[in-house]
Amino acid sequence: GKNIPRVDKPSLRAFLLGLLLWIVVRPILRQVTDLVSCRRKIERLDWNAPFRSGHTETLAGIPVHVVKQEKARRVVLYLHGGGFFMRPTSRHVSFLEKICAETESDGFLPAYRLAPEHPFPCGLNDCIDAYKELLARDNPANTIILAGESAGGTLVLSLLMRMRNQKIPLPACAVLISAGTDLASVGQYASYRENQSRDALVPPETLPYIVRAYAGGRDPAHPAISPLRGDFKSLPPLYFVASRDEVLREDSVLAFGKARDAGVTAEIKIWRGLMHAFPLFSRLPEAQAARADIVRFIVEHTTARTRLKAKEAIS
């Protein structure tokens, strides 16, 4: 389709990284019958090195990693992925730093409570509380961007729907990277069958275990758990990005379609030959290009704080 960038094959870097993930990470993620043990193994890998910049504070009692810009005009609340059971990594922080530098934003990455110890709705409640605290700190909603990848993308969409229902002011826009939007249908969409041997990061056979742990006995078809089944009306502009070759591709494509059908401003970019959540692997040329497009979307759909204050002064 017209939304697929014209690339014949992924870059050499992307190919080699995909191979590394396939050999090193995918086998660990296949052992998710014990999520806590899986979490420990993943945390031993290099890309979970200690955060090198920023600092930690709390938002509404939730620990958050904070990235500050000298002249911040916006705020990014980033909800990390990791199957609802993994902690944020240095890769998440690095991505947030780059987005914040390129959009003149302060960034907040909450360490929300994780499954299986804290199933739904614990993590979602933490993210809502963090967002409400940002509003309480005098950040106008139209200067806030909500973003997340994978399970974080699920939380972004669930959060938007719940806040709309509760009449909490919604952010200016939201970015969803390789989001899981329909947890009740894992294994059922065409992308699961097509990409079970192509997705270098997500083994499809592990997803039912993750869904069970996150849902914690609730029906995974509930719209707060599977936001694809929720109401998209009146949501802010949404930007979806995914890879054609990942098992969760249809979760983005179908959510984009529902958003457009509900009259929501939405964009989607589907890339070829790349791994799940590829924009977070910042050394890939494809990740850099995807991030540039995300930055363009954010700037187009947010009100910079300085302009907002100037307007208020005039009125």
Side-chain angles (χ1 to χ4, degrees):
K2 64 182 180 181
N3 290 310
I4 299 179
R6 294 197 168 278
V7 287
D8 295 324
K9 55 185 179 179
S11 65
L12 178 61
R13 274 192 176 181
F15 173 76
L16 293 173
L17 176 62
L19 203 57
L20 178 68
L21 294 171
W22 184 276
I23 293 167
V24 177
V25 181
R26 209 173 190 266
I28 297 173
L29 292 176
R30 292 181 78 168
Q31 302 166 21
V32 292
T33 45
D34 180 357
L35 291 179
V36 177
S37 164
C38 182
R39 181 194 298 153
R40 284 197 210 103
K41 288 176 184 172
I42 292 289
E43 285 177 354
R44 289 194 199 112
L45 299 175
D46 287 347
W47 42 79
N48 289 275
F51 303 154
R52 293 184 179 83
S53 60
H55 66 278
T56 302
E57 57 181 72
T58 59
L59 274 179
I62 299 131
V64 290
H65 189 81
V66 181
V67 174
K68 285 281 187 184
Q69 296 295 314
E70 197 174 329
K71 295 181 179 177
R73 304 164 77 193
R74 302 173 176 85
V75 173
V76 176
L77 180 62
Y78 191 87
L79 310 183
H80 70 89
F84 307 102
F85 73 94
M86 286 193 268
R87 296 185 182 95
T89 68
S90 58
R91 191 170 67 250
H92 295 111
V93 173
S94 173
F95 179 76
L96 180 59
E97 285 170 349
K98 289 177 171 63
I99 289 290
C100 287
E102 291 160 11
T103 60
E104 300 177 291
S105 303
D106 285 337
F108 296 85
L109 195 165
Y112 56 83
R113 285 173 292 172
L114 300 170
E117 301 95 331
H118 303 284
F120 173 87
C122 296
L124 182 61
N125 289 343
D126 288 349
C127 296
I128 290 174
D129 288 345
Y131 179 85
K132 285 159 75 175
E133 178 67 21
L134 287 177
L135 291 176
R137 290 186 185 186
D138 198 26
N139 294 293
N142 61 1
T143 65
I144 300 176
I145 301 102
L146 198 53
E149 105 287 349
S150 194
T154 316
L155 291 168
V156 165
L157 209 43
S158 297
L159 185 61
L160 290 173
M161 290 175 179
R162 183 181 282 189
M163 293 194 302
R164 177 209 52 210
N165 295 346
Q166 294 179 0
K167 300 195 165 34
I168 298 167
L170 294 175
C173 62
V175 175
L176 301 101
I177 300 167
S178 294
T181 64
D182 191 359
L183 277 61
S185 296
V186 293
Q188 293 176 32
Y189 294 130
S191 54
Y192 287 92
R193 295 188 296 277
E194 291 168 15
N195 296 327
Q196 57 185 334
S197 60
R198 286 184 192 160
D199 193 320
L201 197 53
V202 180
E205 63 268 29
T206 69
L207 292 171
Y209 293 101
I210 290 171
V211 170
R212 206 171 303 135
Y214 176 61
R218 308 267 186 126
D219 180 1
H222 190 287
I225 297 175
S226 291
L228 182 67
R229 295 161 185 258
D231 180 3
F232 280 70
K233 281 188 186 123
S234 307
L235 296 187
L238 304 176
Y239 182 98
F240 296 90
V241 59
S243 168
R244 187 191 64 176
D245 296 81
E246 63 172 308
V247 295
L248 290 180
R249 179 194 69 214
E250 292 302 301
D251 286 59
S252 289
V253 172
L254 293 169
F256 164 74
K258 274 199 80 169
R260 290 291 289 266
D261 289 347
V264 173
T265 300
E267 292 185 30
I268 189 168
K269 294 289 190 303
I270 303 292
W271 290 69
R272 289 178 176 157
L274 296 165
M275 67 288 300
H276 174 70
F278 75 91
L280 273 73
F281 296 95
S282 57
R283 292 186 180 178
L284 302 182
E286 297 93 339
Q288 292 159 21
R291 193 176 71 245
D293 204 46
I294 289 169
V295 167
R296 185 262 319 155
F297 178 85
I298 287 172
V299 172
E300 273 179 23
H301 292 286
T302 49
T303 306
R305 183 191 279 278
T306 46
R307 289 206 302 273
L308 182 77
K309 287 193 171 171
K311 278 183 190 171
E312 286 173 351
I314 291 165
S315 60

